[in-house]
Amino acid sequence: AQKITQTQPGMFVQEKEAVTLDCTYDTSDQSYGLFWYKQPSSGEMIFLIYQGSYDEQNATEGRYSLNFQKARKSANLVISASQLGDSAMYFCAMREGRGATNKLIFGTGTLLAVQP
Amino acid sequence: IAGITQAPTSQILAAGRRMTLRCTQDMRHNAMYWYRQDLGLGLRLIHYSNTAGTTGKGEVPDGYSVSRANTDDFPLTLASAVPSQTSVYFCASRKGAGNTEAFFGQGTRLTVV
């Protein structure tokens, strides 16, 4: 079974509008972390935002915010005021496991295209 | 400049040949990972290591092996390459087992023919 599910293979958004990228996860751990990464067409992986499973407030980093709904096991990324430079692939990831089995796994990604 | 370096950046390899992808980090990170990225499949974890001397299998370990003799290096070996191993390979590292972000290398584009 997929541990990280991103159901939107691709999305369009108009410049200056907000967009939500969906991510659901599956884990039996009580302690875990959720991450979002951006991969532009140049290929590098850029860390955007992080949410810990015990964090009570949703994480925010500039125009990025993470809508964390623990009971639903979802960690959606919200990008406000989209810019052309936001066009990229976005990956949701989860840190799970303890000690020697601690690992970081990724979803299949969402390709976002920002239109002028 | 501190960071994580992969070599080579790209390679064309004949099927059946042995190949080692190199990954070195100078951030003294304990955890290191190897992923392969394929269209439509995202990044899939091949192997990981949470500290020097230990390794673990990820989601798609078959056909690959790793070693972690020291903190800085985490090579990935394809013992006998097959065309299905054509992919972009990313190495990543994290400071520890907690919720710190991973830093990625620039990737290695491998084509097995």
PDB file of all heavy atoms in Angstrom, chain B residues 76-101:
ATOM      1  N   LEU B  76      26.374   3.475  -4.145  1.00  0.00           N
ATOM      2  CA  LEU B  76      25.312   2.566  -4.602  1.00  0.00           C
ATOM      3  C   LEU B  76      25.867   1.739  -5.754  1.00  0.00           C
ATOM      4  O   LEU B  76      26.356   2.295  -6.732  1.00  0.00           O
ATOM      5  CB  LEU B  76      24.095   3.364  -5.076  1.00  0.00           C
ATOM      6  CG  LEU B  76      22.938   2.556  -5.665  1.00  0.00           C
ATOM      7  CD1 LEU B  76      22.180   1.827  -4.560  1.00  0.00           C
ATOM      8  CD2 LEU B  76      21.991   3.478  -6.437  1.00  0.00           C
ATOM      9  N   THR B  77      25.779   0.419  -5.639  1.00  0.00           N
ATOM     10  CA  THR B  77      26.344  -0.466  -6.662  1.00  0.00           C
ATOM     11  C   THR B  77      25.244  -1.265  -7.360  1.00  0.00           C
ATOM     12  O   THR B  77      24.363  -1.826  -6.700  1.00  0.00           O
ATOM     13  CB  THR B  77      27.366  -1.430  -6.040  1.00  0.00           C
ATOM     14  OG1 THR B  77      28.457  -0.668  -5.512  1.00  0.00           O
ATOM     15  CG2 THR B  77      27.914  -2.396  -7.093  1.00  0.00           C
ATOM     16  N   LEU B  78      25.330  -1.254  -8.676  1.00  0.00           N
ATOM     17  CA  LEU B  78      24.503  -2.120  -9.500  1.00  0.00           C
ATOM     18  C   LEU B  78      25.426  -3.258  -9.933  1.00  0.00           C
ATOM     19  O   LEU B  78      26.364  -3.055 -10.700  1.00  0.00           O
ATOM     20  CB  LEU B  78      23.973  -1.390 -10.723  1.00  0.00           C
ATOM     21  CG  LEU B  78      22.907  -0.302 -10.537  1.00  0.00           C
ATOM     22  CD1 LEU B  78      23.436   0.920  -9.798  1.00  0.00           C
ATOM     23  CD2 LEU B  78      22.319   0.091 -11.879  1.00  0.00           C
ATOM     24  N   ALA B  79      25.182  -4.460  -9.436  1.00  0.00           N
ATOM     25  CA  ALA B  79      26.101  -5.560  -9.675  1.00  0.00           C
ATOM     26  C   ALA B  79      26.104  -5.993 -11.135  1.00  0.00           C
ATOM     27  O   ALA B  79      27.154  -6.290 -11.714  1.00  0.00           O
ATOM     28  CB  ALA B  79      25.756  -6.739  -8.773  1.00  0.00           C
ATOM     29  N   SER B  80      24.930  -6.022 -11.745  1.00  0.00           N
ATOM     30  CA  SER B  80      24.788  -6.424 -13.146  1.00  0.00           C
ATOM     31  C   SER B  80      23.609  -5.651 -13.712  1.00  0.00           C
ATOM     32  O   SER B  80      22.460  -6.058 -13.549  1.00  0.00           O
ATOM     33  CB  SER B  80      24.561  -7.934 -13.238  1.00  0.00           C
ATOM     34  OG  SER B  80      24.397  -8.341 -14.583  1.00  0.00           O
ATOM     35  N   ALA B  81      23.907  -4.523 -14.334  1.00  0.00           N
ATOM     36  CA  ALA B  81      22.861  -3.588 -14.724  1.00  0.00           C
ATOM     37  C   ALA B  81      21.892  -4.184 -15.744  1.00  0.00           C
ATOM     38  O   ALA B  81      22.283  -4.965 -16.633  1.00  0.00           O
ATOM     39  CB  ALA B  81      23.492  -2.319 -15.287  1.00  0.00           C
ATOM     40  N   VAL B  82      20.630  -3.788 -15.609  1.00  0.00           N
ATOM     41  CA  VAL B  82      19.577  -4.181 -16.556  1.00  0.00           C
ATOM     42  C   VAL B  82      18.884  -2.914 -17.049  1.00  0.00           C
ATOM     43  O   VAL B  82      18.901  -1.883 -16.362  1.00  0.00           O
ATOM     44  CB  VAL B  82      18.556  -5.136 -15.910  1.00  0.00           C
ATOM     45  CG1 VAL B  82      19.223  -6.456 -15.531  1.00  0.00           C
ATOM     46  CG2 VAL B  82      17.921  -4.508 -14.679  1.00  0.00           C
ATOM     47  N   PRO B  83      18.253  -2.973 -18.228  1.00  0.00           N
ATOM     48  CA  PRO B  83      17.621  -1.759 -18.777  1.00  0.00           C
ATOM     49  C   PRO B  83      16.587  -1.124 -17.859  1.00  0.00           C
ATOM     50  O   PRO B  83      16.412   0.097 -17.885  1.00  0.00           O
ATOM     51  CB  PRO B  83      16.993  -2.267 -20.085  1.00  0.00           C
ATOM     52  CG  PRO B  83      17.890  -3.389 -20.510  1.00  0.00           C
ATOM     53  CD  PRO B  83      18.297  -4.068 -19.231  1.00  0.00           C
ATOM     54  N   SER B  84      15.920  -1.922 -17.035  1.00  0.00           N
ATOM     55  CA  SER B  84      14.904  -1.359 -16.120  1.00  0.00           C
ATOM     56  C   SER B  84      15.529  -0.491 -15.022  1.00  0.00           C
ATOM     57  O   SER B  84      14.810   0.193 -14.289  1.00  0.00           O
ATOM     58  CB  SER B  84      14.083  -2.477 -15.481  1.00  0.00           C
ATOM     59  OG  SER B  84      14.916  -3.327 -14.713  1.00  0.00           O
ATOM     60  N   GLN B  85      16.832  -0.520 -14.916  1.00  0.00           N
ATOM     61  CA  GLN B  85      17.516   0.346 -13.961  1.00  0.00           C
ATOM     62  C   GLN B  85      17.878   1.702 -14.573  1.00  0.00           C
ATOM     63  O   GLN B  85      18.494   2.540 -13.900  1.00  0.00           O
ATOM     64  CB  GLN B  85      18.766  -0.339 -13.403  1.00  0.00           C
ATOM     65  CG  GLN B  85      18.415  -1.534 -12.521  1.00  0.00           C
ATOM     66  CD  GLN B  85      19.625  -2.272 -12.001  1.00  0.00           C
ATOM     67  OE1 GLN B  85      20.531  -2.635 -12.780  1.00  0.00           O
ATOM     68  NE2 GLN B  85      19.665  -2.522 -10.709  1.00  0.00           N
ATOM     69  N   THR B  86      17.466   1.928 -15.792  1.00  0.00           N
ATOM     70  CA  THR B  86      17.581   3.247 -16.395  1.00  0.00           C
ATOM     71  C   THR B  86      16.714   4.212 -15.611  1.00  0.00           C
ATOM     72  O   THR B  86      15.513   3.997 -15.468  1.00  0.00           O
ATOM     73  CB  THR B  86      17.138   3.217 -17.863  1.00  0.00           C
ATOM     74  OG1 THR B  86      18.067   2.419 -18.603  1.00  0.00           O
ATOM     75  CG2 THR B  86      17.069   4.612 -18.451  1.00  0.00           C
ATOM     76  N   SER B  87      17.320   5.265 -15.089  1.00  0.00           N
ATOM     77  CA  SER B  87      16.606   6.158 -14.188  1.00  0.00           C
ATOM     78  C   SER B  87      17.506   7.340 -13.828  1.00  0.00           C
ATOM     79  O   SER B  87      18.671   7.398 -14.226  1.00  0.00           O
ATOM     80  CB  SER B  87      16.223   5.405 -12.908  1.00  0.00           C
ATOM     81  OG  SER B  87      15.383   6.176 -12.075  1.00  0.00           O
ATOM     82  N   VAL B  88      16.924   8.273 -13.083  1.00  0.00           N
ATOM     83  CA  VAL B  88      17.717   9.321 -12.450  1.00  0.00           C
ATOM     84  C   VAL B  88      17.844   8.951 -10.976  1.00  0.00           C
ATOM     85  O   VAL B  88      16.830   8.701 -10.311  1.00  0.00           O
ATOM     86  CB  VAL B  88      17.064  10.704 -12.609  1.00  0.00           C
ATOM     87  CG1 VAL B  88      17.900  11.762 -11.884  1.00  0.00           C
ATOM     88  CG2 VAL B  88      16.929  11.057 -14.085  1.00  0.00           C
ATOM     89  N   TYR B  89      19.059   8.910 -10.505  1.00  0.00           N
ATOM     90  CA  TYR B  89      19.326   8.488  -9.133  1.00  0.00           C
ATOM     91  C   TYR B  89      19.721   9.706  -8.293  1.00  0.00           C
ATOM     92  O   TYR B  89      20.595  10.482  -8.673  1.00  0.00           O
ATOM     93  CB  TYR B  89      20.444   7.451  -9.104  1.00  0.00           C
ATOM     94  CG  TYR B  89      20.030   6.135  -9.708  1.00  0.00           C
ATOM     95  CD1 TYR B  89      20.105   5.926 -11.085  1.00  0.00           C
ATOM     96  CD2 TYR B  89      19.527   5.117  -8.914  1.00  0.00           C
ATOM     97  CE1 TYR B  89      19.686   4.728 -11.644  1.00  0.00           C
ATOM     98  CE2 TYR B  89      19.117   3.915  -9.462  1.00  0.00           C
ATOM     99  CZ  TYR B  89      19.200   3.730 -10.833  1.00  0.00           C
ATOM    100  OH  TYR B  89      18.788   2.539 -11.376  1.00  0.00           O
ATOM    101  N   PHE B  90      19.071   9.818  -7.152  1.00  0.00           N
ATOM    102  CA  PHE B  90      19.371  10.905  -6.222  1.00  0.00           C
ATOM    103  C   PHE B  90      19.887  10.328  -4.913  1.00  0.00           C
ATOM    104  O   PHE B  90      19.300   9.393  -4.356  1.00  0.00           O
ATOM    105  CB  PHE B  90      18.128  11.740  -5.933  1.00  0.00           C
ATOM    106  CG  PHE B  90      17.758  12.698  -7.015  1.00  0.00           C
ATOM    107  CD1 PHE B  90      16.770  12.371  -7.931  1.00  0.00           C
ATOM    108  CD2 PHE B  90      18.391  13.928  -7.118  1.00  0.00           C
ATOM    109  CE1 PHE B  90      16.430  13.253  -8.944  1.00  0.00           C
ATOM    110  CE2 PHE B  90      18.050  14.824  -8.121  1.00  0.00           C
ATOM    111  CZ  PHE B  90      17.057  14.481  -9.038  1.00  0.00           C
ATOM    112  N   CYS B  91      20.945  10.936  -4.430  1.00  0.00           N
ATOM    113  CA  CYS B  91      21.441  10.669  -3.098  1.00  0.00           C
ATOM    114  C   CYS B  91      21.016  11.827  -2.208  1.00  0.00           C
ATOM    115  O   CYS B  91      20.950  12.983  -2.665  1.00  0.00           O
ATOM    116  CB  CYS B  91      22.965  10.553  -3.122  1.00  0.00           C
ATOM    117  SG  CYS B  91      23.723  10.214  -1.528  1.00  0.00           S
ATOM    118  N   ALA B  92      20.694  11.550  -0.961  1.00  0.00           N
ATOM    119  CA  ALA B  92      20.281  12.593  -0.029  1.00  0.00           C
ATOM    120  C   ALA B  92      20.844  12.289   1.347  1.00  0.00           C
ATOM    121  O   ALA B  92      21.177  11.140   1.666  1.00  0.00           O
ATOM    122  CB  ALA B  92      18.756  12.687   0.030  1.00  0.00           C
ATOM    123  N   SER B  93      20.935  13.330   2.168  1.00  0.00           N
ATOM    124  CA  SER B  93      21.390  13.140   3.538  1.00  0.00           C
ATOM    125  C   SER B  93      20.582  14.013   4.481  1.00  0.00           C
ATOM    126  O   SER B  93      20.039  15.047   4.081  1.00  0.00           O
ATOM    127  CB  SER B  93      22.886  13.477   3.666  1.00  0.00           C
ATOM    128  OG  SER B  93      23.116  14.858   3.534  1.00  0.00           O
ATOM    129  N   ARG B  94      20.484  13.547   5.724  1.00  0.00           N
ATOM    130  CA  ARG B  94      19.819  14.312   6.780  1.00  0.00           C
ATOM    131  C   ARG B  94      20.688  14.272   8.016  1.00  0.00           C
ATOM    132  O   ARG B  94      21.403  13.294   8.246  1.00  0.00           O
ATOM    133  CB  ARG B  94      18.451  13.703   7.116  1.00  0.00           C
ATOM    134  CG  ARG B  94      17.429  13.864   6.037  1.00  0.00           C
ATOM    135  CD  ARG B  94      16.187  13.054   6.342  1.00  0.00           C
ATOM    136  NE  ARG B  94      15.508  13.525   7.536  1.00  0.00           N
ATOM    137  CZ  ARG B  94      15.106  12.729   8.522  1.00  0.00           C
ATOM    138  NH1 ARG B  94      15.322  11.439   8.459  1.00  0.00           N
ATOM    139  NH2 ARG B  94      14.487  13.232   9.563  1.00  0.00           N
ATOM    140  N   LYS B  95      20.556  15.289   8.837  1.00  0.00           N
ATOM    141  CA  LYS B  95      21.412  15.423  10.009  1.00  0.00           C
ATOM    142  C   LYS B  95      21.248  14.241  10.944  1.00  0.00           C
ATOM    143  O   LYS B  95      22.209  13.712  11.485  1.00  0.00           O
ATOM    144  CB  LYS B  95      21.097  16.727  10.734  1.00  0.00           C
ATOM    145  CG  LYS B  95      22.022  17.022  11.896  1.00  0.00           C
ATOM    146  CD  LYS B  95      21.712  18.385  12.481  1.00  0.00           C
ATOM    147  CE  LYS B  95      22.672  18.695  13.622  1.00  0.00           C
ATOM    148  NZ  LYS B  95      22.388  20.033  14.205  1.00  0.00           N
ATOM    149  N   GLY B  96      19.993  13.842  11.196  1.00  0.00           N
ATOM    150  CA  GLY B  96      19.785  12.752  12.128  1.00  0.00           C
ATOM    151  C   GLY B  96      18.485  12.048  11.843  1.00  0.00           C
ATOM    152  O   GLY B  96      17.900  12.198  10.776  1.00  0.00           O
ATOM    153  N   ALA B  97      18.026  11.282  12.808  1.00  0.00           N
ATOM    154  CA  ALA B  97      16.809  10.501  12.626  1.00  0.00           C
ATOM    155  C   ALA B  97      15.556  11.316  12.905  1.00  0.00           C
ATOM    156  O   ALA B  97      14.460  10.845  12.688  1.00  0.00           O
ATOM    157  CB  ALA B  97      16.840   9.280  13.540  1.00  0.00           C
ATOM    158  N   GLY B  98      15.700  12.518  13.376  1.00  0.00           N
ATOM    159  CA  GLY B  98      14.549  13.347  13.700  1.00  0.00           C
ATOM    160  C   GLY B  98      13.960  14.016  12.486  1.00  0.00           C
ATOM    161  O   GLY B  98      14.127  13.557  11.357  1.00  0.00           O
ATOM    162  N   ASN B  99      13.269  15.093  12.709  1.00  0.00           N
ATOM    163  CA  ASN B  99      12.526  15.733  11.630  1.00  0.00           C
ATOM    164  C   ASN B  99      13.288  16.875  10.984  1.00  0.00           C
ATOM    165  O   ASN B  99      12.773  17.983  10.843  1.00  0.00           O
ATOM    166  CB  ASN B  99      11.171  16.198  12.160  1.00  0.00           C
ATOM    167  CG  ASN B  99      10.273  15.013  12.460  1.00  0.00           C
ATOM    168  OD1 ASN B  99      10.265  14.037  11.720  1.00  0.00           O
ATOM    169  ND2 ASN B  99       9.552  15.097  13.559  1.00  0.00           N
ATOM    170  N   THR B 100      14.489  16.604  10.579  1.00  0.00           N
ATOM    171  CA  THR B 100      15.271  17.590   9.843  1.00  0.00           C
ATOM    172  C   THR B 100      15.136  17.299   8.355  1.00  0.00           C
ATOM    173  O   THR B 100      14.948  16.150   7.949  1.00  0.00           O
ATOM    174  CB  THR B 100      16.755  17.515  10.222  1.00  0.00           C
ATOM    175  OG1 THR B 100      17.209  16.162  10.054  1.00  0.00           O
ATOM    176  CG2 THR B 100      16.957  17.929  11.667  1.00  0.00           C
ATOM    177  N   GLU B 101      15.247  18.366   7.562  1.00  0.00           N
ATOM    178  CA  GLU B 101      15.038  18.169   6.137  1.00  0.00           C
ATOM    179  C   GLU B 101      16.221  17.466   5.508  1.00  0.00           C
ATOM    180  O   GLU B 101      17.331  17.487   6.020  1.00  0.00           O
ATOM    181  CB  GLU B 101      14.789  19.505   5.428  1.00  0.00           C
ATOM    182  CG  GLU B 101      16.024  20.368   5.203  1.00  0.00           C
ATOM    183  CD  GLU B 101      16.237  21.368   6.304  1.00  0.00           C
ATOM    184  OE1 GLU B 101      15.810  21.103   7.454  1.00  0.00           O
ATOM    185  OE2 GLU B 101      16.841  22.413   6.028  1.00  0.00           O
TER     186      GLU B 101
END
